[in-house]
């Protein structure tokens, strides 16, 4: 297709970060259906390292990194519009995040999600993270609530 372009760009402007996060997360209520949590992600995104997936002139996904320790950064939130799932954009976002975290001296990246076997949508999310190189670290059954046991995955950046 002529003129068809996909790119991953870092966004610095806090208002732009929040606008992109809101657009994407509000379209993904199967994963981000709890308004309070969604608003926390949108609010937090203003202060986190923010990468956006842009196709043509439209933002179709994003990923945020936040520091959780001297050597560790967390993939705090990411979303890709559903009609762009399985297009490679999610993987491109993770790869860009890994490169940036590594260049900033971080040794590990972590991500939290709902434990495998609880919900089909989250099982696909788990399989995505595993395919990107994340490894199971630990499950915290009550970090969020009984219906949503928290699975933590980690990845070495060395």
């Amino acid at each position: 297709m002529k003129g068809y372009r996909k790119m991953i760009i870092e966004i610095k402007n806090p208002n732009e970060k929040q606008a992109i996060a809101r657009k994407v997360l509000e379209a993904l209520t199967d994963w981000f259906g709890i308004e309070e949590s969604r608003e926390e992600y949108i609010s937090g995104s203003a202060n986190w390292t923010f990468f956006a997936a842009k196709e043509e002139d439209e933002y179709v996904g994003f990923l945020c990194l936040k520091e959780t320790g001297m050597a560790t950064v967390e993939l705090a939130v990411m979303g890709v519009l559903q009609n762009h799932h399985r297009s490679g954009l999610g993987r491109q976002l993770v790869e860009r995040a890994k490169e940036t975290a590594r260049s900033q001296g971080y040794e590990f990246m972590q991500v939290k999600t709902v434990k495998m076997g609880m919900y089909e949508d989250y099982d696909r999310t788990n399989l995505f993270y595993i395919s990107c190189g994340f490894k199971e670290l630990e499950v915290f059954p009550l970090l969020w609530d009984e219906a949503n046991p928290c699975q933590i995955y980690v990845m070495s950046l060395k």
Side-chain angles (χ1 to χ4, degrees):
M1 246 188 267
K2 197 172 185 179
Y4 182 74
R5 293 176 37 111
K6 295 182 197 182
M7 64 178 76
I8 306 298
I9 55 175
E10 185 170 357
I11 305 293
K12 300 283 192 179
N13 180 292
N15 294 328
E16 191 176 3
K17 291 176 185 182
Q18 289 180 323
I20 296 166
R22 180 170 303 286
K23 174 194 171 188
V24 173
L25 295 183
E26 286 182 350
L28 295 173
T29 54
D30 286 353
W31 292 269
F32 299 98
I34 301 169
E35 185 177 359
E36 183 181 348
S37 297
R38 190 172 60 237
E39 290 300 321
E40 285 177 21
Y41 287 129
I42 293 166
S43 173
S45 71
N47 302 311
W48 299 331
T49 302
F50 192 106
F51 300 103
K54 192 172 189 178
E55 196 164 281
E56 292 294 326
D57 291 324
E58 181 189 6
Y59 290 110
V60 297
F62 76 99
L63 180 154
C64 291
L65 292 177
K66 71 174 182 177
E67 183 178 271
T68 56
M70 295 290 290
T72 306
V73 67
E74 179 177 7
L75 192 167
V77 62
M78 82 175 285
V80 173
L81 295 177
Q82 212 155 358
N83 60 336
H84 293 274
H85 283 190
R86 306 199 60 75
S87 71
L89 285 175
R91 187 171 306 279
Q92 288 175 18
L93 283 163
V94 170
E95 287 302 316
R96 177 70 183 273
K98 284 166 48 177
E99 289 168 18
T100 299
R102 192 178 289 125
S103 74
Q104 293 174 344
Y106 292 103
E107 297 177 48
F108 301 98
M109 184 182 296
Q110 68 165 319
V111 65
K112 296 180 186 93
T113 190
V114 176
K115 179 183 169 194
M116 186 81 84
M118 297 300 291
Y119 308 102
E120 190 178 326
D121 287 332
Y122 281 103
D123 286 355
R124 287 195 296 273
T125 300
N126 279 273
L127 292 171
F128 169 75
Y129 288 134
I130 291 166
S131 77
C132 288
F134 284 93
K135 307 289 184 200
E136 287 184 27
L137 176 69
E138 189 169 358
V139 173
F140 289 95
L142 301 175
L143 182 66
W144 295 324
D145 59 49
E146 278 185 46
N148 296 292
C150 175
Q151 171 71 62
I152 299 179
Y153 290 101
V154 293
M155 169 191 302
S156 171
L157 296 173
K158 290 205 162 216

